[in-house]
Amino acid sequence: MTEKASRNKTIDISVDEGKSYLEKCITLKSKADAESITDKTINGDTFDILPLLPEKFVDLLIVDPPYNIDKNFGGNKFKKTSDELYAEYTESWIKLVLPLLKDDATIYVCCDWKSSTVIASVLKKYFHIQNRITWQREKGRGALTNWKNGMEDIWFVTMSNEYTFNVEDVKIRKKVVAPYRVDGKPKDWIESENGNFRNTYPSNFWDDISIPYWSMPENTAHPTQKPEKLLAKLILASSNEGDIVLDPFLGSGSTSVTAKKLNRHFVGIEQNPQYCIWAEKRLEAADKDITIQGYADGVFWERNTASLQKKYNEKRK
């Protein structure tokens, strides 16, 4: 096996190497209560597990299902299908999660541009659609006959029009290009020794997300891993400390790890044992390091401000 570079922090341990982490996961064969599954990774097929979970225990649901493309998830292959069949697939997991959601719960569903409209058509049958978030992936393969696909969507939906939204917790810190003063004092911006900044309200277009890469501690070998910074925005905005966050397609654990770092409870379901191991290893690391790249001092920072973020994150470790 090729030895990794010293700065390569990618988590890619095998099932044999990670047996101790897999033992921390649980399996379900019968109905479970909320206490027995809270802050746990459940190893199993989400379509088998969801019917065994308690009713109305979820405050925030974050769903990152397989997109309607051919993709190999560690030996579990998802095959691209028709829009009609993908809509049926979407509806099948929605019907299973509905009984688990509190009356004021919020739901976020990730998708690519091709499946976005298909998913939306199903979501509106069961939920109140509040918005569509589009975020810049920053990565993506070029194409000779088309535009490079560098965007993904997240549908923001709720059970009702009564829901949590902590807008003050998800402000973005941006550099001030043209400082405006009143009576010689900053107007709606912060003057500091590290530069001039303005904390602004977030929009539904996010261009400040970095996809996990090899030198980041959160990076794993999962093919479609979501960044902790992205999950942090969803969790901070739409839940409160102590709430329960459910992810029925957990992957390598980003939702659970970020929820833990932000003092929320979590439940994650993942059928691939290796991905469960990676999730548990990351959860263990979160006991010692609760920092989230791109989030510090209670705000989200623009790209390329790592040195400033580090100063604030040192306080949180």
Side-chain angles (χ1 to χ4, degrees):
M1 189 171 75
T2 303
E3 187 175 343
K4 292 192 295 188
S6 59
R7 291 182 60 222
N8 189 342
K9 297 181 173 64
T10 301
I11 298 171
D12 58 359
I13 57 176
S14 68
V15 173
D16 287 339
E17 295 170 318
K19 286 181 179 178
S20 62
Y21 292 111
L22 189 58
E23 289 171 356
K24 295 181 180 181
C25 302
I26 63 173
T27 58
L28 293 183
K29 300 297 182 184
S30 58
K31 276 282 188 179
D33 58 30
E35 184 177 357
S36 66
I37 61 173
T38 299
D39 297 333
K40 299 291 185 182
T41 302
I42 304 173
N43 182 205
D45 188 325
T46 198
F47 291 94
D48 296 330
I49 300 300
L50 289 172
L52 303 178
L53 303 188
E55 294 186 359
K56 294 185 182 297
F57 82 105
V58 175
D59 297 286
L60 173 60
L61 176 70
I62 297 179
V63 189
D64 187 12
Y67 296 175
N68 192 17
I69 56 177
D70 293 331
K71 182 68 71 173
N72 187 343
F73 295 97
N76 296 314
K77 296 180 179 180
F78 190 91
K79 285 293 202 179
K80 181 179 179 180
T81 186
S82 65
D83 287 350
E84 291 74 20
L85 288 177
Y86 191 70
E88 290 179 15
Y89 173 80
T90 300
E91 194 155 19
S92 66
W93 62 254
I94 287 177
K95 288 180 177 179
L96 292 177
V97 297
L98 267 176
L100 315 180
L101 302 174
K102 292 182 179 179
D103 294 337
D104 59 352
T106 293
I107 303 93
Y108 288 101
V109 183
C110 302
C111 51
D112 65 351
W113 71 271
K114 285 186 177 180
S115 60
S116 185
T117 55
V118 175
I119 286 178
S121 67
V122 182
L123 289 174
K124 69 181 181 181
K125 294 166 59 176
Y126 297 93
F127 305 110
H128 296 249
I129 293 182
Q130 302 296 342
N131 211 328
R132 183 189 70 186
I133 299 163
T134 297
W135 64 283
Q136 188 177 28
R137 288 188 72 253
E138 186 188 11
K139 292 183 179 180
R141 290 186 176 180
L144 295 177
T145 60
N146 205 337
W147 305 103
K148 176 180 175 179
N149 182 22
M151 305 288 184
E152 290 190 12
D153 286 347
I154 303 175
W155 285 100
F156 166 34
V157 302
T158 58
M159 289 288 284
S160 69
N161 284 323
E162 297 292 329
Y163 57 90
T164 297
F165 196 76
N166 304 310
V167 71
E168 295 293 332
D169 294 342
V170 287
K171 283 187 172 180
I172 302 169
R173 180 160 294 178
K174 295 188 174 183
K175 295 177 182 177
V176 175
V177 178
Y180 177 64
R181 297 176 183 270
V182 175
D183 297 328
K185 297 180 179 180
K187 173 66 174 176
D188 297 327
W189 55 277
I190 302 167
E191 188 174 31
S192 76
E193 59 183 16
N194 298 316
N196 300 328
F197 300 96
R198 175 181 290 111
N199 293 342
T200 64
Y201 285 104
S203 74
N204 63 347
F205 173 64
W206 300 350
D207 62 353
D208 61 332
I209 303 295
S210 294
I211 298 294
Y213 49 89
W214 60 274
S215 64
M216 293 171 64
E218 71 182 83
N219 191 47
T220 75
H222 191 281
T224 60
Q225 181 180 344
K226 293 295 187 292
E228 290 180 12
K229 184 180 182 181
L230 183 146
L231 275 306
K233 292 190 178 197
L234 307 181
I235 292 169
L236 285 168
S238 296
S239 69
N240 299 306
E241 290 193 7
D243 282 355
I244 293 180
V245 183
L246 171 65
D247 187 336
F249 300 95
L250 184 64
S252 61
S254 294
T255 297
S256 294
V257 172
T258 309
K260 180 177 181 177
K261 290 182 176 183
L262 296 173
N263 297 315
R264 274 70 169 172
H265 293 294
F266 59 86
V267 179
I269 305 171
E270 175 53 48
Q271 65 176 338
N272 188 309
Q274 188 165 63
Y275 296 166
C276 289
I277 289 169
W278 298 346
E280 285 297 324
K281 183 172 177 59
R282 295 174 65 194
L283 285 166
E284 180 184 75
D287 288 332
K288 298 179 180 178
D289 185 358
I290 61 170
T291 60
I292 296 170
Q293 183 157 328
Y295 174 71
D297 193 31
V299 292
F300 291 92
W301 296 64
E302 295 179 290
R303 291 190 187 123
N304 303 319
T305 55
S307 60
L308 300 180
Q309 296 167 35
K310 185 177 180 180
K311 293 181 181 179
Y312 290 106
N313 274 331
E314 288 297 328
K315 304 174 186 177
R316 305 186 76 224
K317 286 187 178 181

